[in-house]
Amino acid sequence: MSAVAWIAVGSLAAWLWLLLGQGFFWRTGQRLPRRAAPDRWPSVAVVVPARDEADMLPVSLPSLLAQDYPGAAEIFLVDDCSKDGTGDLARALSVRHGGLPVTVVSPGEPEPGWTGKLWAVRHGISLAQARQPAPEYLLLTDADIAHEPDSLRELVSAACSGGFDLVSQMARLRVASAWERLVVPAFVYFFAQLYPFRWVNRAGARTAAAAGGCVLLRTEAAQRARVPESIRQAVIDDVSLARAVQRSGGRIWLGLAERVDSVRPYPRLADLWRMVSRSAYAQLRHNPLLLAGTVLGLALVYLAPPVTLAVGLTAGDPAAAWAGGAAWAVMAGTYMPMLGYYRQSLWLGPLLPFTAVLYLLMTVDSAVQHHRGRGAAWKGRTYARPEAAPER
């Protein structure tokens, strides 16, 4: 066989392994597990870190205020040095809509060694734990996440029924613009490929992940895992949180949401680019060798199928054309369940190689910006590579 044919066969082999051996990551059936109402509804503190979220709060905060929860629940919105009146707007929305009680605080700039979001989460949790009695659960949710009225009740029911210390749902992201339709479903697809939900959810799992927009956490588990202090420098805070809970003996669950939505728009490619590139290199632990391996892996898995198919057809190489075409077909087939979840046209499936090229470029740009001192930039803050934790 020709060299091109061998590359095509290698890509096809990789896709057959991903299809069958990577936790069936491409299936979208991981939803909140079977649940029943607990005998006693535990108390919950809802912690919302918010930095310059005045555009999002009119949609997201009323959905939290309107939670139909049978137990005691209170919202703690932590205004992280906003310049757009986020804190005042939150107070006004609370008065206008009523519902769950809201406490709005502004803790000031984070101390050295903390990311802004985790600094805000720390203050929200501290305020909640100062209540007597302290809440039994914490719902950590972002200021751009809207919840259906039964969201909190369903999360708590799932945690209590399944004995989970952490229950997280990946909010359904907005897909309105053309770029969102092309890029957003692939973002969740790639995340699930890295952290197959079935692997995360099985007892004794080694794989740990969460979706930071919606995390219900048992307060006792948070204390045992020293959250958020133990992950205070984490840029990818949701995965770090899940790992900390799992390492401390906690049981975690992660799935796709049906009634929890992100309302933040990403209408332009530049908006999506910033969203991905700010943390892509951190995902690779700021390691140039991992970056090089990722680029080669993406090229073999996502770019080789259409390229080898085209070369095989034009050069009269049937083995390359057949293997490349088969790999491309498997790739598109595994993407279609995610497109269905996002209610998008299945014709977007064959475009996944193009989307993968965009993600590859975003990842390389993330590394370049890091080495220029502008890595992990978000809302006016830039975070350097986390320092190694001191040995104990």
Side-chain angles (χ1 to χ4, degrees):
M1 288 195 303
S2 67
V4 174
W6 278 115
I7 293 173
V9 169
S11 182
L12 176 58
W15 273 108
L16 291 175
W17 181 83
L18 287 170
L19 176 69
L20 301 174
Q22 187 66 5
F24 295 100
F25 75 94
W26 45 272
R27 297 176 64 181
T28 56
Q30 292 293 295
R31 310 299 170 87
L32 277 179
R34 186 175 300 175
R35 50 208 179 273
D39 295 333
R40 181 188 63 83
W41 290 94
S43 56
V44 181
V46 181
V47 178
V48 185
R51 178 173 171 83
D52 293 333
E53 296 287 9
D55 291 339
M56 300 295 104
L57 284 183
V59 180
S60 62
L61 186 56
S63 76
L64 290 173
L65 294 168
Q67 285 302 297
D68 178 20
Y69 184 67
E74 182 176 0
I75 299 170
F76 296 87
L77 188 138
V78 186
D79 180 8
D80 180 16
C81 301
S82 299
K83 298 179 177 62
D84 65 352
T86 288
D88 291 338
L89 177 59
R91 294 183 184 93
L93 289 169
S94 174
V95 172
R96 184 185 312 162
H97 291 276
L100 297 185
V102 178
T103 300
V104 179
V105 294
S106 301
E109 289 290 338
E111 292 181 355
W114 285 82
T115 65
K117 178 180 178 180
L118 290 173
W119 178 252
V121 168
R122 177 199 183 194
H123 280 267
I125 292 177
S126 296
L127 281 173
Q129 292 179 335
R131 294 287 196 260
Q132 295 298 327
E136 297 163 81
Y137 283 88
L138 305 163
L139 175 61
L140 310 180
T141 187
D142 291 342
D144 61 351
I145 302 297
H147 295 252
E148 291 294 330
D150 61 352
S151 174
L152 181 57
R153 186 173 68 243
E154 294 296 293
L155 285 165
V156 171
S157 296
C160 293
S161 298
F164 298 110
D165 294 287
L166 182 154
V167 173
S168 179
Q169 288 186 291
M170 179 162 282
R172 199 190 301 262
L173 303 175
R174 181 181 183 268
V175 282
S177 71
W179 284 113
E180 287 170 338
R181 294 188 182 99
L182 183 68
V183 174
V184 165
F187 176 82
V188 183
Y189 173 89
F190 293 144
F191 183 90
Q193 192 176 83
L194 285 173
Y195 307 103
F197 294 174
R198 284 170 175 76
W199 287 1
V200 171
N201 297 341
R202 65 190 182 191
R206 294 183 179 180
T207 304
C214 178
V215 177
L216 182 75
L217 178 62
R218 194 187 305 270
T219 304
E220 181 184 355
Q223 294 170 338
R224 189 171 62 241
R226 297 190 303 111
V227 170
E229 285 78 8
S230 62
I231 59 169
R232 60 186 177 274
Q233 298 185 75
V235 175
I236 308 176
D237 53 88
D238 44 13
V239 175
S240 299
L241 169 63
R243 287 173 176 165
V245 172
Q246 187 190 74
R247 281 196 301 265
S248 65
R251 177 85 189 279
I252 64 178
W253 185 92
L254 170 65
L256 295 172
E258 293 178 312
R259 299 167 67 75
V260 179
D261 299 288
S262 172
V263 297
R264 188 181 302 282
Y266 295 97
R268 304 173 302 160
L269 177 59
D271 303 316
L272 290 159
W273 195 289
R274 282 193 296 271
M275 185 266 288
V276 174
S277 65
R278 71 186 177 96
S279 60
Y281 197 42
Q283 181 70 58
L284 300 176
R285 302 196 291 275
H286 305 93
N287 188 319
L289 292 178
L290 285 178
L291 174 65
T294 297
V295 170
L296 291 175
L298 285 173
L300 174 65
V301 173
Y302 290 98
L303 305 187
V307 170
T308 55
L309 172 61
V311 171
L313 291 175
T314 56
D317 187 340
W322 178 86
W328 197 358
V330 175
M331 178 200 314
T334 63
Y335 189 36
M336 287 182 180
M338 189 61 70
L339 289 172
Y341 169 73
Y342 272 98
R343 306 183 184 94
Q344 298 303 301
S345 170
L346 299 184
W347 288 108
L348 289 171
L351 297 181
L352 188 57
F354 173 72
T355 308
V357 170
L358 291 178
Y359 275 91
L360 188 154
L361 295 175
M362 293 173 191
T363 302
V364 172
D365 180 60
S366 179
V368 170
Q369 296 306 320
H370 170 78
H371 288 291
R372 288 179 176 175
R374 298 197 296 268
W378 187 248
K379 293 191 176 182
R381 290 193 181 120
T382 300
Y383 300 108
R385 177 178 180 174
E387 300 176 0
E391 294 185 4
R392 295 181 179 275

